[in-house]
Every structure is written in C-alpha cells, then in structure tokens.
Amino acid sequence: MEDYIQIKEKKDCVGCRACEKICPQKAIIMQEDEEGFIYPIVLDDKCVKCGICKKVCPLLNEVKKEKPLKTYAIKNKDEECARKSTSAGIAYLFSKKIIEKNGCVFGSKLNKDMTVNQIEVTNLEGLDEIRGSKYIFSDTKETFVDVKNELLKDKKVIYIGTPCQIAGLKSFLKKDFDNLYTIDFICHGVPSQKLFLKYIKYLEEKIRQSIIYYDFRNKEKKVWGNFCAKILTNNNKNVYINANSDPYYYNFLKGNTYRESCYDCKFAKKERVSDITLGDFWGIELIDSNFYDDNGVSAVLINSEKGRKLFLELVNDIEFKEVLLDDILKKNKNLERPTERKITRNNIYYGIDTLSPKKFVKKNLIIKNKVKNFIKTIIPIKIKNKIKKILK
Ligand SMILES: Cc1cc2nc3c(=O)[nH]c(=O)nc-3n(C[C@H](O)[C@H](O)[C@H](O)COP(=O)(O)OP(=O)(O)OC[C@H]3O[C@@H](n4cnc5c(N)ncnc54)[C@H](O)[C@@H]3O)c2cc1C
C-alpha cells in the first residue's frame, strides 16, 4: 500500500485540504481538474512517504459521529436578522455569542471576484461578510491551520462549513478541543467555482454590466420559502432572479452540478460530525401552521453536550419548539442519504473551457418544464401552504 494520498476515483476526495495542510514537507499541492474542483497532487521530489496525509483524510479515516440529542424548529426574535439570513439566521446568533466572548468565527465569504472561500471573522461587522448560503464549493484555504493557532491561544472558535469540511477539520486537528464549536448544515452538494464563474460571465454579457455581489437567498421580493437571488451590479443596479427560471440555480437545485464526492457523501446521515447542524425547516406548516414564519424557520439539531450548552445561551433570542428528527427528515432527505447522481450530471461540465458562456449555458444548463416552473414561482407561498395542507 502506498504511503501517500492517491485519489483513484474523484468521489474519494472532498477537497478539504487536510492532507495538504498537515504535510510537514509541503509535498502536496491542490490542483483544479477540468471541471474546476480541487484535488491533491503529491510532489515526488518532496514526499518522504511518511503517510501522515492519509491519516488525516476524512474519507480514509472514521470521524466520530453523534446522534442528535435534541431537535428543534427555531424562529429568530430579531426579524431583520432572520430576513438578512438564509433560514432564520441561527448561524449568526451562535456566531455573535462567540464574538462577544472575544472568540472568532470561520465561515464562507463571497469575494468581489465571485470566488468563495472560508475566512476568519473576529468582530460583528465581519459576521455580515459570512452570512448567507453560497451554493458553491467554498475553499478552506489556510483556515484549518488558523483554527489550530487560535485554539492553542485558548480562544473560543466556531467553524461553520459543510459536513465534509467539519470532518476534514476534525481529522486535521487530531484531538478534541473544548474551545472549538463546529456547525454544519444539511447539505445537498456543491458545484465548482469554475461553473459559477462561467455562469456569472454569461449573466454579465446578458445584462451588460459587471456583477459585484450575488445573494443566493434574498428575501426582499419573496418570502423565505421561495428561492430568489439578488444580484448587485457595478452601476448599483439590483437584479432579482427566480431560482426555477435561472440556469445555474435550477441545475443546482436539481442536483445536476455537484462535486462527485457529494453523490457518495459519507456525512449525509442522521448521525452528525458537528456539535450543531442547521437547515431550513421545510414543511413546518404541516407540523404546526402557527409556527410558520415568512422570515424563515430553521431546523436545528443539537448533537453534543457542548452544542447543547451553546444553544442554552440563545434561549432569549429565539422562539423554539422541540420536534422529532423524523419531522425534519420528511422534507430534507439529505439527512439520510446523499443526493442521487442522475445521468444529467455526466456531461454538464463539458465544454466549460471551449464554449462561449452563452453557448455553454444554453447547451448544458438546461431548464426543463419552464412554464410549470414559472407558474410555481408566481403562486404566493400562503396559497401553496394551503394546497399542501389540503393534499395532506
Ligand atoms: C451548499 C449548501 C447546500 C445546502 N443544502 C441544504 C439542504 O439541502 N437542506 C437544508 O435544509 N439546508 C441546506 N443548506 C443550509 C441552509 O441553506 C442554511 O445555510 C442553513 O439553514 C443556515 O441558515 P441560517 O439562516 O442560520 O444561516 P446563514 O445566514 O445561511 O449562514 C450560513 C452559514 O454557512 C456558511 N456557508 C455558506 N455557504 C457555504 C458554503 N458553500 N460552504 C461552507 N459554508 C458555507 C456561512 O459562512 C454562514 O456562516 C445548504 C447550504 C449550503 C451552503
């Protein structure tokens, strides 16, 4: 058996960078494949075959998972905070508690050049930079090393990321730290940055302006349950996009564009790698119609004693209702299994380097049932909920 990491099949790497960052010889570099996903490459002339890279891979090694201790539906008492966030802004509330204790928070930032990566935040203003879901692969860059340094300084740290990133971080750290809180979300998968950039080029050509910000789950025009994106251009123009009629967003929601490891995700399970798991509480209106809120309702899984203690600090800021894990699972299947890889995934990145943005999007990011999708987006959410109730 080789004593260094070798990725034989693309599904065998989540791109977390744990192997690259642990290598004392700096013998591993991360390289983009043709689709724009990063994978480790071992440099023969530097590698001493110590095998440490294999020991921190979250797919080659078992990372401890816990069954949730408690499961809740949660609303944020601060309506503005909920409206600015994806679900109910619970990630923000947890993060705020740690910042107020002079701790730091690691989360995902969308840069002005439309790339996305994990960053460290140490003040409340910084929390706005990492707020919100970015439906793209977020590069961990140097953050695993930065987390370790902060932990060793006895700082309280929250790391928010995909379940596989949390597993990678834990493998990299090798031991539990009392001052580390990990938060993941129910995740259906991530497309590559290269795909997102190609789509942004297509949009820029279409609207003839440069895009400087993209908010995936904006609530200014639509309420929480509708997926509506907001784009900000360099001329200060706002453009709103309905997910179902947008080529990138539609194919994201359909699961057609993800990293290969997402379809084989080892962490799409009821047992969780993090202290706290967050998600959208889809179907809350069927469980308790009075608890539904246009600003957003979060599904929150408390998976460890540490997570429970942090949750107790939020009780004055939230309204909460204990639910069964199965209530969350009903409309959130990624808590049980990975997204199914359909045949539509096979050629979706084909021509990304050679076709023009317009040709690429038209040929590959196809939207099916355009009329049906359009009708869906114009029916108000309250009517949709009523229909669902009658059908139930
Ligand atoms: C790619 C992706 C897929 C998701 N799939 C589902 C799903 O199937 N079902 C479901 O219920 N919920 C899903 N979510 C989670 C959901 O969108 C909300 O993020 C979650 O409910 C928390 O909402 P919030 O309002 O508390 O926090 P938010 O304001 O949304 O903050 C979310 C936090 O997640 C971090 N983050 C955002 N994007 C990324 C990223 N790409 N990689 C790593 N970290 C990131 C941010 O730093 C932020 O701190 C997904 C999120 C992402 C990013």
Side-chain angles (χ1 to χ4, degrees), residues 86-87 89-91 108 130 132-136 186 188 279-280 332:
T86 307
S87 306
I90 306 304
S108 165
I130 60 167
S133 289
K134 292 92 189 172
Y135 294 138
I136 323 162
I186 306 168
H188 47 262
D280 287 293
N332 242 325

Side-chain angles (χ1 to χ4, degrees), residues 222 226 242 244-245 370-384:
K222 300 267 179 169
N226 289 94
N242 280 320
N244 279 326
S245 51
K370 273 190 182 165
V371 179
K372 191 173 136 198
N373 290 335
F374 175 72
I375 295 169
K376 264 196 207 164
T377 59
I378 54 172
I379 303 176
I381 201 93
K382 292 230 161 78
I383 310 244
K384 269 192 205 163

Side-chain angles (χ1 to χ4, degrees), residues 82 84-92 95 106-109 116 118 130-138 160-162 165 185-190 217 219 252 278-282 298-299 332 334:
K84 276 162 69 183
S85 307
T86 307
S87 306
I90 306 304
Y92 184 92
S95 305
F106 289 81
S108 165
K109 181 184 175 190
V116 175
Q118 301 291 105
I130 60 167
R131 197 198 280 264
S133 289
K134 292 92 189 172
Y135 294 138
I136 323 162
F137 176 82
S138 178
I160 311 177
T162 57
Q165 286 172 338
F185 36 82
I186 306 168
C187 182
H188 47 262
V190 285
R217 296 276 299 272
K219 297 176 187 166
F252 167 77
L278 302 175
D280 287 293
F281 207 127
W282 303 130
S298 288
N332 242 325
N334 289 105

Side-chain angles (χ1 to χ4, degrees), residues 134-199:
K134 292 92 189 172
Y135 294 138
I136 323 162
F137 176 82
S138 178
D139 195 326
T140 60
K141 298 266 183 186
E142 301 298 319
T143 53
F144 286 7
V145 177
D146 297 341
V147 167
K148 191 169 181 183
N149 289 337
E150 296 292 24
L151 291 171
L152 294 175
K153 281 188 242 158
D154 262 353
K155 267 203 179 182
K156 284 191 189 302
V157 175
I158 286 191
Y159 198 97
I160 311 177
T162 57
C164 56
Q165 286 172 338
I166 301 297
L169 174 66
K170 289 194 164 177
S171 285
F172 170 83
L173 293 171
K174 289 189 234 150
K175 69 175 195 100
D176 284 340
F177 283 84
D178 288 344
N179 46 336
L180 173 67
Y181 300 84
T182 51
I183 301 184
D184 66 357
F185 36 82
I186 306 168
C187 182
H188 47 262
V190 285
S192 76
Q193 298 216 343
K194 190 170 175 178
L195 186 74
F196 186 63
L197 291 174
K198 190 86 180 175
Y199 155 76

